[in-house]
């Protein structure tokens, strides 16, 4: 899985599936630099998707004739506003997930 390979820097008993290891104080020994960089990259990409989607949705709501980046998309107003809103939601979820992963990797 791509996410597991990207954030594969986790080591220790917790990463191996021992759920009681954290209670005994045996947390991950090392998270590696790659996990932090990947989380920052995903956070930046998520924020970019969120901003592009929000800007496009606002533009489309204000000026129904200006489809912006999605002018090639068939389906008119409903299709383009749906895609822009989906971009906002997906961008927010990816950025939030990456932010939490980065905070967890840094601790």
């Amino acid at each position: 899985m791509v996410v597991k390979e990207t954030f594969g820097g986790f080591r220790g008993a917790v990463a191996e599936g021992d759920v009681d290891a954290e209670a005994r104080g045996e947390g991950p020994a090392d998270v590696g630099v790659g996990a932090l960089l990947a989380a920052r990259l995903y956070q930046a990409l998520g924020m970019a998707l969120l901003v592009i989607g929000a800007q496009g949705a606002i533009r489309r709501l204000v000026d129904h004739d200006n489809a912006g980046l999605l002018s090639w998309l068939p389906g008119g107003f409903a299709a383009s506003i749906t895609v822009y809103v989906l971009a906002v939601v997906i961008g927010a979820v990816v950025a939030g997930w990456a932010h939490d992963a980065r905070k967890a990797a840094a601790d």
Side-chain angles (χ1 to χ4, degrees), residues 13-101:
V14 176
E16 298 299 322
D18 185 1
V19 293
D20 296 322
E22 226 172 353
R24 295 190 306 265
E26 300 172 5
D30 181 23
V31 293
V33 176
L36 292 173
L37 292 177
R40 286 184 181 177
L41 176 67
Y42 284 128
Q43 186 176 10
L45 291 175
M47 290 303 298
L49 189 59
L50 181 127
V51 168
I52 290 170
Q55 186 267 340
I58 292 169
R59 181 191 335 99
R60 191 71 167 142
L61 288 172
V62 172
D63 183 8
H64 292 294
D65 294 328
N66 186 359
L69 290 175
L70 298 179
S71 60
W72 57 269
L73 185 69
F77 176 78
S80 65
I81 200 74
T82 301
V83 172
Y84 281 128
V85 169
L86 280 174
V88 169
V89 171
I90 292 169
V93 168
V94 168
W97 169 78
H99 175 73
D100 292 341

